[in-house]
Amino acid sequence: MMKSKLSVFLFLLPLQMLLAQEVYVDSLYKVKEPITKTYAEKDGEKLIVDLYQPENSEKKRPTIVFMHGGGFSGGSPKNPQEVRFTKTAAAKGYNVALISYRLTRKNKSFGCDFAAEGKIKTFQMAAEDYMDAVKYLIDHASEFSIDENKIIAGGSSAGAEAVLNAIYNPQLMFGTENPYKDIQFSAVISLAGAIVDVRYLNKEQAIPGLFFHGTADQLVPYATAPHHYCEPSEPGYIILDGAETITEKLQKLNTSYLFFSFDGAGHEISGMPFQYFPQLFGFLKNVVFQNMKIQETVYE
């Protein structure tokens, strides 16, 4: 009899431990091998999505769609940092999609010698690619076990610029006849990103945001400043609004945000913030799934 009770106790113990952990916060699942799909073919190039999924989790899962950095000239969804992030998130119960996109500035400048009009066009094309990838995933939601009502955007550096512009500046990216207007996001993660003009960000587009940015970033403005800090006389002079300016606007619009501001740090903040993953996933849990209101800036 005692042996029988002990067996039941030993069976229930791991179950109780599992129940004490939180889905979307703790690592609960094994991660499947990624599947690669082509979401579009443009200019003779196949654009792909690498989709990572948890094993034996919910039938409809929140999905993070992440766009890599690289100055619109390089980078890859195979980047080891982003793959590590992806596997971490998938183990918590998320689908995570890493996407490729047209590298329109490959072997070309994206600095002060590249005309501002060309920079806007670059943002527009990358934003279009991002939204096409999201649309592909939503169109195949049942195949990939995606909860189309829980899509979380994310990007690093150039990828963050494309993603933020697609979400917060859709009029400037896609015009008044926005073909993606029916796509809704639950939150956005930005690693050293910026948008073209915060004045176009209104309540309709103001989704919760999680931002990481260094105050001394010399490529993507921390607040409001010229892109790459170009001089007004240079062709590439264009004013962008970075994380500080965006979060100030989100505060006025009564929208949730969590902003990690790194004093004296440069563009290296575009790298994956591994040590801040507990706060990152905690913010998503609280805001996306529990509808909590958070407006906080953390100075590091």
Side-chain angles (χ1 to χ4, degrees):
M1 186 68 174
M2 182 63 70
K3 184 177 181 181
S4 176
K5 288 183 178 179
L6 181 61
S7 298
V8 171
F9 172 77
L10 292 175
F11 172 77
L12 290 176
L13 184 59
L15 178 61
Q16 290 171 339
M17 292 174 64
L18 181 64
L19 291 174
Q21 294 180 304
E22 290 186 87
V23 67
Y24 310 132
V25 173
D26 297 305
S27 296
L28 304 177
Y29 306 100
K30 291 183 179 180
V31 180
K32 299 178 184 179
E33 287 297 314
I35 57 175
T36 299
K37 297 288 185 178
T38 299
Y39 72 83
E41 187 167 345
K42 301 181 182 182
D43 305 323
E45 178 184 2
K46 289 184 178 180
L47 303 178
I48 62 104
V49 53
D50 284 343
L51 182 65
Y52 294 74
Q53 301 170 289
E55 288 186 0
N56 303 318
S57 67
E58 297 180 1
K59 291 183 179 179
K60 295 186 72 174
R61 308 182 196 109
T63 300
I64 301 171
V65 187
F66 197 91
M67 197 170 193
H68 68 79
F72 302 103
S73 65
S76 163
K78 314 293 185 185
N79 181 323
Q81 277 199 359
E82 282 147 21
V83 170
R84 179 180 164 191
F85 162 72
T86 296
K87 291 181 177 179
T88 301
K92 298 177 188 299
Y94 292 90
N95 286 330
V96 188
L98 301 180
I99 71 164
S100 70
Y101 56 102
R102 288 172 290 180
L103 302 178
T104 55
R105 300 310 299 164
K106 189 173 184 178
N107 300 319
K108 301 174 185 176
S109 171
F110 195 59
C112 297
D113 57 339
F114 180 49
E117 294 82 359
K119 290 182 177 181
I120 295 291
K121 182 65 175 176
T122 300
F123 293 147
Q124 289 172 332
M125 293 176 71
E128 176 192 292
D129 290 349
Y130 182 78
M131 296 302 287
D132 283 344
V134 174
K135 184 177 185 302
Y136 170 83
L137 290 166
I138 291 174
D139 288 345
H140 295 80
S142 58
E143 179 183 351
F144 302 136
S145 301
I146 290 171
D147 183 347
E148 56 266 42
N149 296 312
K150 291 287 189 294
I151 304 294
I152 298 161
S156 167
S157 188
E161 290 175 325
V163 168
L164 291 176
N165 277 303
I167 292 172
Y168 289 149
N169 276 175
Q171 304 97 317
L172 299 178
M173 296 296 103
F174 312 122
T176 55
E177 299 297 323
N178 178 5
Y180 311 106
K181 61 181 179 296
D182 294 331
I183 297 177
Q184 301 296 318
F185 293 91
S186 297
V188 60
I189 303 165
S190 169
L191 309 179
I195 60 175
V196 174
D197 196 333
V198 78
R199 293 173 298 178
Y200 286 84
L201 171 55
N202 58 39
K203 188 65 178 176
E204 184 180 356
Q205 290 101 32
I207 67 167
L210 181 59
F211 301 87
F212 296 81
H213 217 135
T215 61
D217 193 326
Q218 290 299 306
L219 298 179
V220 180
Y222 168 82
T224 297
H227 182 240
H228 285 221
Y229 289 84
C230 302
E231 296 293 332
S233 59
E234 294 179 292
Y237 177 82
I238 180 175
I239 298 293
L240 297 182
D241 295 315
E244 184 180 61
T245 305
I246 295 170
T247 52
E248 287 173 354
K249 185 65 176 286
L250 292 178
Q251 186 174 45
K252 292 177 182 177
L253 293 171
N254 202 31
T255 301
S256 289
Y257 67 85
L258 178 57
F259 174 26
F260 287 90
S261 172
F262 297 87
D263 186 41
H267 198 60
E268 67 274 9
I269 300 303
S270 63
M272 274 295 166
F274 294 110
Q275 71 186 92
Y276 295 93
F277 276 9
Q279 294 93 323
L280 185 155
F281 289 107
F283 177 82
L284 294 180
K285 173 79 173 183
N286 291 332
V287 171
V288 174
F289 303 101
Q290 298 180 346
N291 296 314
M292 288 178 61
K293 175 72 172 300
I294 297 172
Q295 291 187 324
E296 183 180 3
T297 298
V298 179
Y299 296 96
E300 296 285 357

